[in-house]
Amino acid sequence: MVSIEVSGGRTPHDALHDAVDWGRVVVATVARGVIATLLGLALWAAAPAVIGWLPTTVMTGSMAPRIVPGDVVVSRPVAPAELRVGQVLLADDPDQAGHLRMHRFVDAGPDGSVVTKGDANPERDSTAITRSAVHGVAFLRIPFVGTPIVWMRDGAWSKVALLVLAAAAVLWLATVDGSLRRLAAAVRDEDDDDPDGPGPDAGHGPSPRHCLEAHPSSAPLLRPDGRSGRHALSGPMLSGQVLSRRAHRRQVRRQRRLRGTGGVAAVVLVAGGLGLLLPAQAVAVPFTAKTVNAGPTLTAATAVATTALTCKANGDGSVNIGFTYGGAPGVVSSFDVMMGSTVVGTDVGTVSSVRVVGSGILNLGATVTVAVRTNLGGTWTATSTSTTKIQTALVSTNLSCG
């Protein structure tokens, strides 16, 4: 055996090439971890439906800060006699046919009915729920999984498009080390094809890019009939071995393609199945004020927009949004702090500020603009043109003024 030393050490180009390869492996691994995490959350949100439990997408902030829009809450079926005060119930909404209500059981009503209230609502729901209308008791909360559904309901198609692009980017990043994995598989295939296997010095000594070896078997062969080794190599036996090796490599490539196609098909089927399993949406009851007939005359109330919005940080990681209201406060049911179309804080209509906590805001590490909505109940609302800003933390739910 003859060895020829080509170079004496690694070049800067080799070091840079290795660093790029390691970077590709790290990025692909992180991307696959993100995909696995999201698929795991989606599986937690949808899989309980198989055993008869009820996953429900929360669409409004009536149960904030414990349950916020975009969360998926899994409810377990429960017998009517087992309902207890303090439980969060999923039931048919008596005020909106075909809708669900997810509010807390706060008191027993007449004839064994259930009186409910949203944690973020200032008053109890005006219509009690019959026990037979209760589908289950909230048992498990999976955060943020249903957020795209909330965006689609609100018409925030730009956010949906950005989410699709981000998902496509993550899927692409998960494959950036594909050539390295294929190279490693090819090396393993070459080792499997070598009948002698790796030698006792495998993994030691100069790498193949630095040392070239001439094996004795590569010398020309002479047969008794005078033909050279080149003619001898074309014999039937060695020709069959070459064809067998090529057929094996084609089979390996075909198996890789099948595995890749199967993986893509599995992701599509899982995503489609999870989408089909996501159930109806739980919304807040919109009718919280009771109608009182005080006499033969009616007085019209007008929702007046608030002005002079301010932001003041509290010591517990929350902020107070202050405002000035020039209308009659006695007819206002609540003041809602709005981030776009999402309620991030609410309080009764006799206050001049609303406390906002970070669990109701999904935009981590960003400055968000909020307004205050005057709510008289139902569709009688007025949103302020004055705004203020809230700064969210990057890695926690703490808030500060932007």
Side-chain angles (χ1 to χ4, degrees):
M1 181 181 294
V2 179
S3 296
I4 304 173
E5 195 71 23
V6 175
S7 63
R10 293 171 54 82
T11 65
H13 175 75
D14 293 335
L16 178 61
H17 183 76
D18 291 345
V20 171
D21 288 346
W22 273 110
R24 290 164 60 188
V25 171
V26 171
V27 169
T29 302
V30 171
R32 287 194 286 268
V34 171
I35 294 172
T37 301
L38 295 178
L39 288 178
L41 288 174
L43 186 62
W44 271 105
V50 178
I51 60 175
W53 291 24
L54 305 171
T56 310
T57 304
V58 179
M59 304 300 289
T60 62
S62 64
M63 287 297 295
R66 294 175 179 85
I67 304 173
V68 298
D71 290 349
V72 171
V73 177
V74 178
S75 303
R76 60 177 178 85
V78 63
E82 298 178 1
L83 299 179
R84 299 290 183 269
V85 173
Q87 294 174 325
V88 177
L89 306 180
L90 177 67
D92 292 324
D93 193 337
D95 296 317
Q96 299 183 96
H99 288 74
L100 297 174
R101 176 191 296 180
M102 179 172 286
H103 279 180
R104 192 177 301 279
F105 182 3
V106 294
D107 199 1
D111 301 326
S113 61
V114 174
V115 177
T116 56
K117 175 183 176 298
D119 290 354
N121 289 345
E123 297 180 7
R124 297 179 177 184
D125 302 330
S126 58
T127 307
I129 298 173
T130 61
R131 290 178 179 259
S132 60
V134 177
H135 294 286
V137 176
F139 182 79
L140 178 65
R141 168 182 170 265
I142 301 94
F144 311 145
V145 174
T147 302
I149 299 177
V150 178
W151 289 344
M152 287 186 284
R153 184 206 63 171
D154 295 341
W157 298 110
S158 59
K159 294 182 179 180
V160 176
L162 288 176
L163 179 63
V164 172
L165 292 176
V170 172
L171 289 174
W172 177 77
L173 289 175
T175 64
V176 294
D177 65 340
S179 60
L180 298 178
R181 290 185 283 112
R182 287 191 295 269
L183 179 60
V187 172
R188 288 195 299 270
D189 292 343
E190 291 294 337
D191 290 341
D192 293 339
D193 290 338
D194 187 357
D196 297 330
D201 296 330
H204 302 282
S207 64
R209 79 172 57 173
H210 299 104
C211 180
L212 302 177
E213 295 185 351
H215 198 276
S217 60
S218 63
L221 299 178
L222 293 178
R223 295 181 56 183
D225 56 3
R227 289 188 297 168
S228 67
R230 178 175 301 178
H231 295 89
L233 290 176
S234 63
M237 183 173 63
L238 191 53
S239 177
Q241 292 176 354
V242 172
L243 290 177
S244 175
R245 179 177 296 182
R246 290 178 179 175
H248 173 70
R249 291 179 177 175
R250 284 197 299 269
Q251 182 179 5
V252 170
R253 287 194 295 268
R254 188 162 52 249
Q255 290 173 352
R256 289 176 188 153
R257 287 194 296 268
L258 290 175
R259 284 197 298 266
T261 305
V264 172
V267 171
V268 172
L269 289 176
V270 169
L274 294 177
L276 292 175
L277 287 175
L278 284 179
Q281 304 162 355
V283 299
V285 54
F287 308 106
T288 57
K290 299 179 180 179
T291 302
V292 179
N293 187 5
T297 60
L298 297 176
T299 301
T302 303
V304 178
T306 59
T307 58
L309 267 62
T310 60
C311 178
K312 179 182 178 182
N314 300 319
D316 58 356
S318 63
V319 297
N320 277 352
I321 303 300
F323 53 87
T324 299
Y325 183 67
V331 297
V332 178
S333 61
S334 67
F335 292 105
D336 303 325
V337 177
M338 307 295 297
M339 183 182 67
S341 60
T342 302
V343 178
V344 296
T346 187
D347 214 329
V348 296
T350 58
V351 300
S352 58
S353 65
V354 177
R355 181 173 176 265
V356 179
V357 296
S359 58
I361 301 179
L362 303 181
N363 307 58
L364 299 180
T367 300
V368 298
T369 302
V370 296
V372 173
R373 182 178 66 186
T374 306
N375 181 21
L376 271 61
T379 58
W380 293 281
T381 63
T383 303
S384 66
T385 56
S386 175
T387 60
T388 188
K389 296 183 181 297
I390 299 176
Q391 176 68 44
T392 62
L394 182 61
V395 293
S396 70
T397 59
N398 290 340
L399 301 179
S400 59
C401 294

